[in-house]
Amino acid sequence: MTPLPAMVRALFAAVLLCVSASLAQAQAPGGTLDKIKKAGVVTLGVRDGSVPFSYLDDKQQYIGYSVDLCMQVVAALRRELGMPNLKVAMNPVTSANRIPLMANGTIDLECGSTTNNLERQQHVAFAPTMFVIGSRLLSKKTSNIKTLADMKGKTLVATAGTSTLKQMTILNKEQKLGMTILVGKDHPESFLIMDTGRAVAEANDDILLAAQVASSKNPALYDISKTPLSVEPYGIMMRKGDPAFKKVVDAAIAGVYKSGQIDAIYNKWFMAPIPPRQINLNFPMPPQLKAVFAQPTDSGDPAVYAALVK
């Protein structure tokens, strides 16, 4: 094997040193609780356009269902650490960079619309499931797309860094659909690509698609496929291997569920007009989500949630 040039070896060593330093900071003695206490701030990873979970309102403030749940965790952290004035920093993340920014200690909690699955659990941890979704297709009614088979030879769009993009790539190959798959940098761009005709359909989680339709100028133009391609859980993400921090987060979220507070939080974002355009998603709580709230779980196995649908 030819030895690497000295400059390349030095660069490689520097990269390893930076990664090691980031991980050391994230997993310092005392873990995330100690990190937050020393800094006097907890950093939340938030999204710009993941309606109604985490997004910017007309005042450029981050709001949403996930943000509200994360603020319940912040209240628990203030009590746990004896820091009533603990500050909160909002750090925008994307589907593509949310896991790296969690791993390197940039953010402490990710408050977005992140699917909890077994693959991701190898790298990060999740709080008890906060939502259960089905992945579906959004298209214009004139396209007459009812199932994935109708997309054969056509162009599809999905958002970068999402489990849906990976799923569509696999299904495209397995079912020999011959689709061209475009990648949107975020959910609003994916919708725009479909809406302007560059793609026939957008693949995404059903509640995110419902929010896009409700927010559009003419909701009557669009159709969401009826049969889900998968059933998956959403969860608030945190660093892996930090049981003390996870214990506080899990207890805070489970407490919201079991106290019944979750009903008001859910209705606020899914059954009532929401900022900035006062649209109402009118998305009643699914039975499988009610079951999860009654018996909180952080399982990343989709079979657990698919069984609740039957």
Side-chain angles (χ1 to χ4, degrees):
M1 180 182 294
T2 303
L4 291 172
M7 183 178 294
V8 175
R9 292 200 304 270
L11 179 60
F12 185 63
V15 170
L16 286 178
L17 183 61
C18 290
V19 172
S20 297
S22 295
L23 291 176
Q25 179 187 16
Q27 299 296 344
T32 305
L33 290 176
D34 190 53
K35 173 181 177 290
I36 292 171
K37 188 168 187 178
K38 288 179 178 177
V41 60
V42 55
T43 303
L44 309 183
V46 287
R47 303 291 294 275
D48 287 354
S50 192
V51 182
F53 295 91
S54 181
Y55 65 103
L56 286 166
D57 65 10
D58 54 355
K59 298 178 182 178
Q60 296 300 292
Q61 300 294 313
Y62 287 99
I63 61 173
Y65 174 74
S66 304
V67 176
D68 278 4
L69 287 177
C70 277
M71 291 307 297
Q72 294 288 329
V73 176
V74 170
L77 288 169
R78 286 171 172 155
R79 294 190 296 269
E80 176 73 17
L81 298 173
M83 300 175 69
N85 297 318
L86 176 67
K87 296 179 181 178
V88 177
M90 301 286 188
N91 192 104
V93 300
T94 66
S95 297
N97 69 17
R98 55 191 166 181
I99 292 179
L101 291 180
M102 177 61 68
N104 70 16
T106 300
I107 59 174
D108 302 309
L109 290 169
E110 193 265 337
C111 315
S113 51
T114 298
T115 296
N116 172 9
N117 58 38
L118 298 177
E119 180 182 356
R120 286 176 175 164
Q121 285 191 5
Q122 296 177 30
H123 307 286
V124 292
F126 289 88
T129 294
M130 64 175 179
F131 206 82
V132 180
I133 61 90
S135 60
R136 303 175 194 265
L137 301 176
L138 171 65
S139 60
K140 291 185 176 179
K141 290 180 179 178
T142 53
S143 299
N144 198 32
I145 301 297
K146 304 300 181 184
T147 68
L148 188 60
D150 295 329
M151 286 298 298
K152 190 168 186 177
K154 297 181 172 65
T155 300
L156 179 79
V157 62
T159 303
T162 61
S163 58
T164 304
L165 175 59
K166 181 176 181 180
Q167 177 193 38
M168 292 300 105
T169 303
I170 293 172
L171 290 176
N172 190 32
K173 183 177 180 180
E174 288 181 346
Q175 298 184 19
K176 296 180 173 57
L177 295 172
M179 292 188 298
T180 298
I181 301 179
L182 303 182
V183 181
K185 65 179 175 59
D186 53 26
H187 299 319
E189 182 174 84
S190 293
F191 177 79
L192 182 63
I193 289 172
M194 181 279 301
D195 197 38
T196 54
R198 286 173 283 168
V200 175
E202 175 193 358
N204 210 331
D205 303 336
D206 49 12
I207 183 58
L208 298 179
L209 296 177
Q212 290 177 340
V213 170
S215 302
S216 67
K217 293 180 180 179
N218 190 350
L221 292 178
Y222 308 98
D223 188 39
I224 299 175
S225 60
K226 300 299 184 290
T227 304
L229 299 168
S230 66
V231 177
E232 300 173 343
Y234 279 175
I236 293 169
M237 188 169 61
M238 65 195 99
R239 271 178 289 284
K240 186 178 176 66
D242 194 343
F245 184 63
K246 191 175 191 312
K247 181 179 179 181
V248 176
V249 176
D250 286 5
I253 295 299
V256 171
Y257 297 169
K258 293 186 175 182
S259 69
Q261 286 178 274
I262 190 61
D263 293 331
I265 295 173
Y266 185 94
N267 289 337
K268 173 184 175 182
W269 295 104
F270 299 98
M271 297 298 294
I274 60 174
R277 294 178 55 197
Q278 301 305 310
I279 61 171
N280 189 337
L281 300 182
N282 194 24
F283 199 93
M285 188 183 295
Q288 64 267 33
L289 187 56
K290 291 182 181 179
V292 168
F293 289 157
Q295 296 292 330
T297 176
D298 65 355
S299 175
D301 183 355
V304 171
Y305 305 92
L308 294 173
V309 180
K310 297 176 182 178

